[in-house]
Amino acid sequence: MALIFTGRFKDVGASWGTRATNIHDDPREAERYERVMAAKLRKDTETVRVFQEAEARFRECDGPAGEADAGWGLWPEPLGPAEALLPKLARVPHTDVIVTGVPDRLPEGATRLYRGRPGPANPDDLTDLTAAGLSTWLTGHPAAALTLYVTVSVTEQTLHPGAIVEILNHELAAHAEPFADFLVAEASAPGTGVLGTAVEQHTALRTGNPRYRLIGARYVTRYDDAHAYRTRMELDRNARATLPPGV
């Protein structure tokens, strides 16, 4: 239905004039408050800029495998993806894909499948259902609106486009795309969808997820912060994702 980038991928959302204030009568306290808020605004603005740059770079690297990728062993089909990932995710029936970027304590990502919008009051977190269980649920809720909710978080030390793109690539290629393929198959013919576990999806990253490798290879050969992408790969001990040989 839709692919939506939100949170830190978009504007700060609050101008200086609309920020809540509680300035003391003491001029020195007021001056200190102004300095603190100005520093926070600069930090927020820079965070937004980096996330937006990462989104733009990911879009530039997303696309079907082509002749230029032959040296990586990713072309022609069936070794490489035949279509871009983001447009594919935008066409999943009855499903919005929402990507949210936030600063946090760890550079990590998460992908969850919900009925409707995620939230504390929403008990319908479908992420951990088996393929059979999810197929049964979908059969019983044929008109349900779904959300694939992807979170990308980085620390202040890892606030680089390369780190963000690596996390985004991991979440979309390893987790969101399998969900998308499953939902498309189930919408066409219930009971035919195939969906691996998170462990199996991470195993595919180690042994050579074609989508991840294609986008990752493009990134590290195009941008000067390839080290940030590779460093984030090394930090992810659960996945231990790999790029094409020689990249």
Side-chain angles (χ1 to χ4, degrees):
M1 291 173 61
L3 175 69
I4 305 167
F5 283 85
T6 185
R8 294 291 181 177
F9 285 94
K10 297 304 176 187
D11 295 336
V12 174
S15 68
W16 176 259
T18 61
R19 289 175 179 268
T21 60
N22 184 23
I23 300 176
H24 300 280
D25 293 335
D26 186 336
R28 290 174 299 181
E29 286 297 315
E31 182 180 353
R32 186 184 70 83
Y33 175 86
E34 290 290 332
R35 289 198 305 270
V36 169
M37 292 305 294
K40 185 177 187 303
L41 179 59
R42 288 194 298 271
K43 182 177 178 181
D44 286 351
T45 300
E46 175 62 11
T47 299
V48 171
R49 184 195 68 77
V50 176
F51 269 104
Q52 289 179 332
E53 184 175 356
E55 178 190 347
R57 290 185 178 188
F58 186 93
R59 291 183 181 277
E60 290 172 359
C61 293
D62 182 31
E67 294 185 20
D69 309 309
W72 299 326
L74 298 172
W75 181 89
E77 274 283 357
L79 296 177
E83 61 179 323
L85 177 55
L86 297 183
K88 177 181 178 179
L89 294 177
R91 295 194 302 269
V92 181
H94 309 296
T95 305
D96 286 336
V97 181
I98 298 179
V99 180
T100 299
V102 294
D104 207 339
R105 293 175 296 174
L106 292 172
E108 60 186 5
T111 300
R112 311 293 297 180
L113 178 66
Y114 296 95
R115 179 182 185 177
R117 288 291 189 262
N122 183 1
D124 289 328
D125 184 342
L126 311 174
T127 312
D128 297 324
L129 291 178
T130 63
L134 183 54
S135 178
T136 299
W137 190 94
L138 292 170
T139 299
H141 304 80
L146 304 175
T147 299
L148 265 172
Y149 192 75
V150 179
T151 303
V152 178
S153 62
V154 292
T155 65
E156 187 173 349
Q157 292 73 27
T158 57
L159 183 62
H160 303 286
I164 296 169
V165 170
E166 198 285 328
I167 299 171
L168 187 58
N169 193 15
H170 173 145
E171 294 303 321
L172 295 184
H175 306 305
E177 186 171 21
F179 270 123
D181 290 339
F182 178 88
L183 294 172
V184 169
E186 288 292 312
S188 176
T192 63
V194 177
L195 183 65
T197 65
V199 172
E200 291 170 333
Q201 291 166 359
H202 283 164
T203 298
L205 280 176
R206 289 195 297 275
T207 57
N209 177 308
R211 176 79 69 184
Y212 178 91
R213 283 187 163 190
L214 178 61
I215 293 174
R218 285 174 174 167
Y219 192 89
V220 300
T221 56
R222 290 181 184 181
Y223 297 104
D224 58 7
D225 73 332
H227 64 283
Y229 187 102
R230 295 182 188 275
T231 298
R232 161 58 201 170
M233 288 177 62
E234 295 169 0
L235 289 173
D236 191 352
R237 300 297 184 183
N238 288 329
R240 298 198 298 277
T242 58
L243 295 172
V247 174

